[in-house]
């Protein structure tokens, strides 16, 4: 066996050719190690399409590295010597190759990074330069602040990147944020583009067979896998979005529609999160589209804010606050996740649609996640760890650094308001305004307390009554509590009772 100078472990969400730990690689002396391991694929029951995406993209990446001349050691899931865990494989290959150096880029998951550090090996860690803001920079920005706010962080990132910034340092268009223009419902007759789809090649077909064999007990369909698994395919998906989605993305990014899982969304989050696309290039393409006059400022700014604002911000919060962050539970919730989250079998059409899309495509867009499935979990008081695990398992783009703050903080407000200044709770009226779901629902969105009333309505008020002591001092909740206080006692009691009845049904394991 050739002598190894450097052993470089590349994880399944680090498939970028310019990964920090791959810099300066010597094709003769160094070895790149990629491992498919059972522990990472099953510590929550990941959607079979997500496992397929990661294993197939890893195999394609390994092949591309070999074609570029690198020495690659690839361990497949069913390799008889596979120890089943990343630390196990790292230790095994360290001992087999006896490299002079071990190199690794920071992980996206605190649990995994800790388990590697626990080995006590002399790993040289590299900051993940694919992000605009390093862990160190974020922690310096957060230092001394009582409360962090994404909006201020985002402005820093705009200044740092120069994106949509005038020569004098002011934001293009005279404002930092045009979110108010990005909340339109989908008008009748506006049709989203046909979604871009990618055919499985022989590598992906082999992975699909492997995943079918080992993970058929995980929830979610494998038949509809159509996701890009190479850099070139991810670029094609991105180009398709630039041509057909971006111009309308701004206006309708919060809209929801029956049987339209993607609308004008790019669906690139999973490709970006595993390294098939480059954040800086995406932002620069969007800015160029704005300057060319092909898209409006609200579309460009809204997209860039998601990438350099929210995405970087939640990562910063995650690494700043882990591991304690994961145990946040402001409301003391303990209700188990209702079984219908795994099947979509509910008469609530909005939930049926959002969960159904998630099971079929391993995807739902941010408003379906935040204001439908997340909102319901918040209103009924699901234990944060259970809903967090569901999001981590079911979504193609969910990795701990991005999923945990979004779910535990943004959706469940379980971090006590560290990430969001108020809980994103809403009645059925919000869902009615932003979708056509209520039209075909078994429940009436205009009703609150009758047997056929929309469950979101009474559960919304039940949530507010239940947590009055914790929430009524919040300035941003003052108006809803004034509305509650003005409500006649009999109405309040009827809402409370309807909420109690629905929660009792959940506790009895009944779907509604
Ligand atoms: Fe959802 Fe209520 Fe509308 Fe039915 S009526 S789709 S449960 S918001």
């Amino acid at each position: 066996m050739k002598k190894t100078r450097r052993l470089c472990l590349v994880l399944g969400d680090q498939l970028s050719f310019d990964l920090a730990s791959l810099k300066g690689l010597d094709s003769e002396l160094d070895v790149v190690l990629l491992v498919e391991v059972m522990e990472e694929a099953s510590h929550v029951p990941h959607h079979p399409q997500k496992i397929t995406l990661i294993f197939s993209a890893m195999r394609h990446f390994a092949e591309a590295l070999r074609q570029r001349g690198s020495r690659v050691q690839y361990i497949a899931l069913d390799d008889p010597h596979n120890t089943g865990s990343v630390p196990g494989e790292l230790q095994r290959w360290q001992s087999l190759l006896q490299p002079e150096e071990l190199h690794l880029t920071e992980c996206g998951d605190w649990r995994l990074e800790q388990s590697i550090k626990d080995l006590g090996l002399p790993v040289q860690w590299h900051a993940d330069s694919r992000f605009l803001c390093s862990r160190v920079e974020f922690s310096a920005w957060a230092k001394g602040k009582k409360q962090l706010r994404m909006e201020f962080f985002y402005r820093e990132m705009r200044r740092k990147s120069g994106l949509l910034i005038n020569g004098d340092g002011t934001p293009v268009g005279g404002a930092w944020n045009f979110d108010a223009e990005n909340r339109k419902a989908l008008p009748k007759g506006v049709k989203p583009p046909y979604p871009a789809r990618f055919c499985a090649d022989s590598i992906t077909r082999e992975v699909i067979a492997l995943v079918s064999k080992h993970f058929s007990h995980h929830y979610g369909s494998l038949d509809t896998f159509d996701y890009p698994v190479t850099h070139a395919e991810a670029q094609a998906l991105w180009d398709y979005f630039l041509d057909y989605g971006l111009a309308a993305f701004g206006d309708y990014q919060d809209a929801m529609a029956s049987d339209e899982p993607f609308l004008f969304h790019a669906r690139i989050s999973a490709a970006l999160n595993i390294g098939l696309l480059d954040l800086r290039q995406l932002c620069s393409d969007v800015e160029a589209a704005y300057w060319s006059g092909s898209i409006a400022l609200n579309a460009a700014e809204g997209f860039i804010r998601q990438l350099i604002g929210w995405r970087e911000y939640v990562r910063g919060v995650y690494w700043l606050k882990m591991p304690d962050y994961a145990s946040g539970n402001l409301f003391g919730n303990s209700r188990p996740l209702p079984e219908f989250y795994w099947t979509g079998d509910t008469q609530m059409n909005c939930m049926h649609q959002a969960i159904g899309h998630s099971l079929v495509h391993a995807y739902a867009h941010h408003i379906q996640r935040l204001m439908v499935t997340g909102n319901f979990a918040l209103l009924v008081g699901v234990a944060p760890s259970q809903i967090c695990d569901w999001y981590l398992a079911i979504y193609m783009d969910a990795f701990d650094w991005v999923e945990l703050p979004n779910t535990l903080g943004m959706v469940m407000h379980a971090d006590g308001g560290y990430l969001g200044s108020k809980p994103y709770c809403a009645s059925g009226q919000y869902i009615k305004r932003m979708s056509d779901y209520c039209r075909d629902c078994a429940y009436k969105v205009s009703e609150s307390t009758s047997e056929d009333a929309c469950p979101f309505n009474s559960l919304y008020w039940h949530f507010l009554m239940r947590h009055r002591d914790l929430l009524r001092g919040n300035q941003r909740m003052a108006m809803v509590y004034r509305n509650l206080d003005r409500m006649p006692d009999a109405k309040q009691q009827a809402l409370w009772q309807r909420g109690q009845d629905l929660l009792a049904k959940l506790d009895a394991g009944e779907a509604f």
Side-chain angles (χ1 to χ4, degrees):
M1 196 177 281
K2 275 193 213 165
K3 182 155 176 51
T4 303
R5 181 191 66 164
R6 178 189 293 191
L7 177 62
C8 179
L9 173 66
V10 173
L11 302 171
D13 59 352
Q14 299 182 337
L15 310 179
S16 307
F17 293 110
D18 58 355
L19 193 71
S21 48
L22 290 177
K23 296 245 160 72
L25 211 62
D26 185 300
S27 54
E28 286 296 311
L29 300 174
D30 303 335
V31 172
V32 180
L33 174 66
L34 291 110
V35 297
E36 297 173 0
V37 290
M38 187 54 85
E39 186 172 291
E40 295 310 307
S42 63
H43 74 96
V44 294
H46 288 293
H47 196 298
Q49 289 195 37
K50 182 182 188 180
I51 303 172
T52 301
L53 166 70
I54 294 172
F55 286 180
S56 178
M58 285 171 72
R59 290 181 184 201
H60 282 93
F61 187 64
E63 206 41 54
L65 285 174
R66 281 192 191 106
Q67 279 170 17
R68 290 173 174 223
S70 297
R71 283 167 68 197
V72 176
Q73 197 67 54
Y74 194 94
I75 312 305
L77 187 82
D78 48 9
D79 182 310
H81 302 291
N82 191 327
T83 55
S85 76
V86 171
E89 284 307 285
L90 185 60
Q91 202 159 36
R92 182 163 78 92
W93 284 97
Q94 202 267 347
S95 152
L96 281 170
L97 298 177
Q98 298 284 318
E100 291 165 22
E101 302 166 12
L102 281 176
H103 287 253
L104 199 54
T105 296
E106 293 165 337
C107 302
D109 184 323
W110 184 90
R111 168 195 54 84
L112 180 58
E113 188 164 299
Q114 200 54 43
S115 69
I116 294 172
K117 287 179 173 164
D118 287 346
L119 291 173
L121 294 173
V123 173
Q124 295 187 32
W125 289 95
H126 297 257
D128 194 340
S129 54
R130 297 174 303 168
F131 291 90
L132 202 58
C133 182
S134 71
R135 295 184 193 175
V136 174
E137 272 178 281
F138 189 88
S139 127
W141 174 79
K143 197 164 182 206
K145 292 188 174 66
K146 276 207 181 108
Q147 217 172 21
L148 306 185
R149 283 290 163 255
M150 193 284 285
E151 186 59 32
F152 299 120
F153 170 78
Y154 166 56
R155 291 177 192 181
E156 289 292 313
M157 291 300 104
R158 284 276 294 280
R159 289 190 192 98
K160 178 178 178 179
S161 64
L163 289 161
L164 296 177
I165 294 288
N166 294 314
D168 63 359
T170 56
V172 170
W176 293 98
N177 184 323
F178 293 87
D179 205 27
E181 295 173 35
N182 292 348
R183 295 175 187 149
K184 297 185 183 80
L186 196 69
K188 276 202 179 85
V190 172
K191 282 300 284 177
Y194 189 79
R197 300 206 151 120
F198 297 86
C199 293
D201 64 5
S202 58
I203 293 179
T204 301
R205 286 198 298 275
E206 263 181 41
V207 171
I208 288 175
L210 179 86
V211 172
S212 304
K213 184 172 158 199
H214 292 282
F215 304 100
S216 58
H217 56 293
H218 288 197
Y219 290 92
S221 161
L222 191 47
D223 304 338
T224 43
F225 184 82
D226 62 358
Y227 209 74
V229 293
T230 64
H231 292 78
E233 287 182 349
Q235 184 62 41
L237 178 63
W238 174 243
D239 291 341
Y240 188 81
F241 171 71
L242 288 176
D243 288 342
Y244 302 108
L246 180 58
F249 166 78
D251 284 2
Y252 306 123
Q253 64 178 270
D254 286 3
M256 299 177 280
S258 296
D259 305 320
E260 290 286 0
F262 310 127
L263 291 169
F264 295 95
H265 290 263
R267 213 164 55 117
I268 50 131
S269 46
L272 176 62
N273 289 350
I274 65 172
L276 300 185
L277 289 168
D278 174 67
L279 165 92
R280 291 168 181 82
Q281 187 60 51
L282 302 185
C283 291
S284 126
D285 289 348
V286 170
E287 188 186 36
Y290 169 69
W291 289 120
S292 77
S294 62
I295 60 166
L297 183 55
N298 66 309
E301 187 280 320
F303 198 93
I304 287 172
R305 176 158 30 85
Q306 292 299 329
L307 290 189
I308 67 167
W310 188 250
R311 184 172 182 268
E312 297 273 335
Y313 178 70
V314 296
R315 177 176 181 264
V317 167
Y318 178 83
W319 285 106
L320 192 67
K321 291 288 168 189
M322 281 300 278
D324 297 344
Y325 193 81
S327 53
N329 190 357
L330 176 71
F331 300 121
N333 293 340
S334 57
R335 182 159 280 112
L337 187 74
E339 184 59 27
F340 59 74
Y341 272 77
W342 298 107
T343 62
D345 293 339
T346 160
Q347 293 182 71
M348 293 177 283
N349 192 37
C350 53
M351 292 288 281
H352 173 73
Q353 290 275 336
I355 296 169
H357 295 168
S358 308
L359 292 169
V360 173
H361 300 292
Y363 177 84
H365 73 66
H366 67 292
I367 292 296
Q368 290 173 304
R369 298 189 204 192
L370 179 64
M371 300 309 291
V372 180
T373 48
N375 185 24
F376 188 84
L378 172 71
L379 298 184
V380 304
V382 171
S385 61
Q386 294 214 9
I387 187 72
C388 287
D389 282 357
W390 182 78
Y391 277 90
L392 185 60
I394 217 78
Y395 291 117
M396 188 95 91
D397 54 13
F399 295 87
D400 209 45
W401 65 268
V402 62
E403 175 280 320
L404 190 74
N406 268 302
T407 311
L408 191 132
M410 179 86 166
V411 167
M412 298 302 288
H413 202 66
D415 62 358
Y418 195 75
L419 202 82
S421 53
K422 76 175 200 42
Y424 280 82
C425 52
S427 71
Q429 292 307 316
Y430 174 86
I431 296 170
K432 179 183 171 229
R433 192 164 69 248
M434 296 309 299
S435 76
D436 60 0
Y437 294 153
C438 303
R439 198 186 54 200
D440 298 321
C441 185
Y443 296 104
K444 292 190 177 121
V445 73
S446 53
E447 300 279 328
S448 298
T449 55
S450 58
E451 263 302 299
D452 59 355
C454 167
F456 280 85
N457 290 340
S458 54
L459 289 170
Y460 169 72
W461 291 110
H462 194 280
F463 169 81
L464 291 171
M465 291 184 225
R466 211 161 73 227
H467 300 301
R468 193 190 292 259
D469 290 348
L470 275 171
L471 296 177
R472 79 164 307 143
N474 182 327
Q475 283 301 311
R476 295 192 64 199
M477 302 296 284
M479 197 168 81
V480 292
Y481 275 104
R482 274 200 300 277
N483 291 341
L484 179 59
D485 292 342
R486 277 199 291 265
M487 209 180 269
D489 284 354
K491 175 81 177 172
Q492 289 194 33
Q493 276 164 21
L495 285 167
W496 178 262
Q497 192 52 53
R498 166 80 170 148
Q500 288 287 92
D501 293 346
L502 290 168
L503 294 179
K505 278 192 182 180
L506 283 186
D507 292 341
E510 290 175 39
F512 49 79

